Amino acid sequence: EVIPCIYNFAHNFSESLAAVRIGRKYGFVNPKGDVVIPFVYDRADDFSEGLAGVEMSGKYGFINKEGDVKIPFTYTKNIIGMPEAKFSDGIAAVRKDDRTGFIDKSGNVVIPFIYNYVDVISEGLIGVVHDFADNGFIDKNGNIIIPFIYQSTNSFSNGLARVFDWNDNNGFIDKNGIEYWED
């Protein structure tokens, strides 16, 4: 036994640290089981690109591997089904005033808080829901790449994303928005 089984919950290791919970508080341990960041957080996501999303008193912020707050606790809780608060391609999805946007690792807003829901970045594109209904894809600069015309979308994989239209048809689109409908 390298790390004792004393935790109520444990994430996988990410960037050499794992978020673990004792009681209701999260902290981080290294592969030897040493506590590197104390148990003070109400929730903790995995480290990604040197930062981890953490929650205190209902607000989210980001810390570095030393436990220093790098992005202040100004964001609201992620909604169910939304990806973890983690960085990918230099940006992370966060919520503010019931809308989702993206920030960079300095905390600067790079995509405004205008979306109801966002998916993970996959193959350079982000599936988003706008106005509680229409789904489409944007790039990491916020440019609309595939218009908001779908009822539902999935992430891109191998150059294609599964989509569902408003007539309950489903199929795939490529990154240019060309549709391939199933029979």
Side-chain angles (χ1 to χ4, degrees):
E1 182 177 280
V2 176
I3 299 174
C5 297
I6 60 172
Y7 303 109
N8 298 102
F9 184 79
H11 287 241
N12 292 324
F13 279 92
S14 176
E15 297 186 9
S16 300
L17 294 176
V20 293
R21 188 182 84 212
I22 291 182
R24 295 189 174 272
K25 297 294 182 181
Y26 283 85
F28 290 84
V29 296
N30 66 19
K32 294 180 183 179
D34 301 324
V35 175
V36 177
I37 299 172
F39 295 87
V40 296
Y41 301 106
D42 301 325
R43 182 175 170 179
D45 293 325
D46 295 337
F47 272 91
S48 177
E49 299 184 12
L51 298 174
V54 291
E55 179 186 357
M56 286 183 83
S57 303
K59 297 288 185 180
Y60 271 84
F62 289 84
I63 59 171
N64 65 13
K65 292 181 185 180
E66 290 75 39
D68 301 324
V69 175
K70 291 300 182 181
I71 298 174
F73 294 88
T74 57
Y75 301 103
T76 55
K77 185 174 183 176
N78 286 350
I79 58 174
I80 294 172
M82 191 171 138
E84 291 182 345
K86 63 193 296 187
F87 282 89
S88 178
D89 290 340
I91 63 174
V94 292
R95 286 188 64 79
K96 195 171 197 173
D97 301 326
D98 295 327
R99 295 291 179 152
T100 304
F102 287 81
I103 58 172
D104 65 17
K105 292 197 279 182
S106 297
N108 301 313
V109 175
V110 293
I111 298 175
F113 295 92
I114 59 173
Y115 298 106
N116 305 109
Y117 174 84
V118 301
D119 204 350
V120 296
I121 298 173
S122 61
E123 298 185 12
L125 296 178
I126 308 161
V128 297
V129 178
H130 190 49
D131 290 334
F132 292 102
D134 298 322
N135 290 250
F137 289 88
I138 61 173
D139 66 16
K140 70 179 198 167
N141 297 315
N143 300 311
I144 298 171
I145 303 301
I146 297 174
F148 303 111
I149 58 173
Y150 297 100
Q151 181 181 35
S152 177
T153 61
N154 290 26
S155 299
F156 274 90
S157 178
N158 296 312
L160 297 173
R162 186 172 201 93
V163 296
F164 298 84
D165 71 9
W166 289 99
N167 295 316
D168 291 327
N169 297 313
N170 68 85
F172 294 88
I173 57 171
D174 65 18
K175 292 183 186 180
N176 297 313
I178 296 172
E179 300 171 332
Y180 304 90
W181 295 107
E182 293 183 348
D183 293 331

